Amino acid sequence: FTQPGSAVHPFTVLPLCGQLLLLVTLFQRAPNKWLTFAGIGGVGVLLVFMFIIGLISLNARVALSTLPFMVTAVLVLRHHRASPAVGGE
């Protein structure tokens, strides 16, 4: 990198932070649901944007490639909503 600041963009920093949050929750005995939500939101920003780009450009491969994440995110959110709070959350 000759200019490291050029790599700092919300669509690179937010998904990276989201992945780090999801990595932290992976190693927790009882994952914190708010860290999970924030991680999904961070990664989801990029993938929802990619989904919209795929729809606008009529590129089915791009749009369909984001669906596994979106389906998994919805299932995780539904699971956390249905599960009882652990540890006073």
Side-chain angles (χ1 to χ4, degrees):
F1 290 115
T2 57
Q3 295 179 337
S6 64
V8 179
H9 187 275
F11 284 126
T12 58
V13 174
L14 285 176
L16 178 64
C17 291
Q19 286 181 346
L20 291 174
L21 287 173
L22 290 175
L23 184 66
V24 167
T25 61
L26 180 66
F27 294 108
Q28 291 179 339
R29 174 165 271 155
N32 185 330
K33 75 177 179 181
W34 296 111
L35 284 180
T36 305
F37 293 163
I40 289 173
V43 176
V45 167
L46 177 63
L47 289 173
V48 167
F49 189 65
M50 286 177 52
F51 180 73
I52 292 170
I53 289 171
L55 291 179
I56 290 172
S57 66
L58 299 176
N59 190 339
R61 286 184 180 178
V62 172
L64 292 176
S65 70
T66 63
L67 288 181
F69 171 80
M70 288 197 237
V71 168
T72 304
V74 168
L75 292 175
V76 167
L77 295 174
R78 289 180 69 197
H79 171 75
H80 275 298
R81 187 178 233 180
S83 64
V86 178
E89 292 180 9

